[in-house]
Amino acid sequence: MADFSVGRISRRGFGRLFSAYGRDSRMDFWIFVALVFGPLIVLQFAMQIVLAFPSMDVLAANAPGDAEASRAMFESQMKGMVSAAYASIGIFLIGALLLLSATARRLHDRARAGWWALILPFGLFATGLGQARRTAEAAERLPALMEKMERQPGNPASMIDWVAQANASTHGPDWPAIVGGLLLAWLAIELARAGTDGPNRFGPAPE
């Protein structure tokens, strides 16, 4: 019976970070993905909380009923979210690089060339950069929208319209992010499919 222990998969995965030779089974690969990205997602979440939390000066100045202070605190939080969005790109690129060889081996199990694994860092970078840019654009537009909301308090439908305005892109479609997202979707489907039966041109079937 195959050994699917987390310890074995961890030792094998981290021990072969720089070796793309051979094949990895579907089970081994996805458990290793969880081992790599699980801690990184926790780190990203903690980083977002820290960066988006207003500074003590902003908190001290936020008196109840002070619209200007509330706006300053909200803008501070948005700036923190923008910083977190850009920092998240680096975090997920680290994960992509740690998984690069394992992804190549999983593709070998699908009888595909390992260089398709390069989609992983490219796709994560393109989609992450697109998200960070959209967050930055929204942060730039929000102060003006907040002033408009204060001058013209509206109904819930107006609130939805203002949210849409804050998140609307002024530069048209983000094609690198779109292409990167589509490539990531294809790669995820390919990595989730069963490997070829028996030996293939990349070696024997994984144990």
Side-chain angles (χ1 to χ4, degrees):
M1 181 177 178
D3 177 14
F4 291 130
S5 73
V6 173
R8 180 192 66 82
I9 293 171
S10 177
R11 289 191 299 272
R12 188 173 187 273
F14 287 109
R16 301 183 66 194
L17 285 178
F18 305 104
S19 175
Y21 294 104
R23 298 163 59 180
D24 273 3
S25 70
R26 179 167 48 180
M27 176 74 74
D28 282 16
F29 174 77
W30 286 108
I31 291 177
F32 187 56
V33 169
L35 291 173
V36 170
F37 269 105
L40 291 178
I41 290 172
V42 173
L43 175 62
Q44 182 210 24
F45 183 70
M47 180 190 64
Q48 286 179 331
I49 293 175
V50 171
L51 291 177
F53 195 79
S55 66
M56 296 305 297
D57 292 341
V58 174
L59 285 174
N62 187 29
D66 188 340
E68 188 66 30
S70 297
R71 188 184 302 114
M73 185 172 71
F74 188 69
E75 290 178 9
S76 174
Q77 289 176 313
M78 286 302 301
K79 289 178 181 177
M81 290 176 64
V82 172
S83 299
Y86 280 106
S88 295
I89 299 173
I91 290 176
F92 286 114
L93 278 179
I94 291 172
L97 294 176
L98 290 174
L99 288 171
L100 199 59
S101 293
T103 302
R105 294 193 300 269
R106 177 83 264 272
L107 288 166
H108 289 168
D109 194 42
R110 290 281 305 139
R112 293 194 179 275
W115 66 266
W116 286 105
L118 294 174
I119 289 174
L120 186 60
F122 164 76
L124 288 176
F125 177 77
T127 54
L129 184 61
Q131 179 61 42
R133 285 174 173 170
R134 286 192 297 274
T135 303
E137 289 178 7
E140 290 176 0
R141 286 192 292 268
L142 273 174
L145 285 173
M146 289 181 68
E147 290 183 7
K148 181 179 178 181
M149 290 166 63
E150 290 171 1
R151 292 195 307 267
Q152 303 173 3
N155 54 40
S158 299
M159 294 291 293
I160 294 173
D161 181 58
W162 287 329
V163 170
Q165 291 180 44
N167 288 281
S169 175
T170 57
H171 303 292
D174 187 348
W175 289 112
I178 292 171
V179 172
L182 291 173
L183 288 173
L184 282 176
W186 173 84
L187 182 64
I189 293 170
E190 193 65 25
L191 295 173
R193 298 178 67 186
T196 57
D197 293 329
N200 64 20
R201 62 192 176 110
F202 297 105
E207 298 178 357

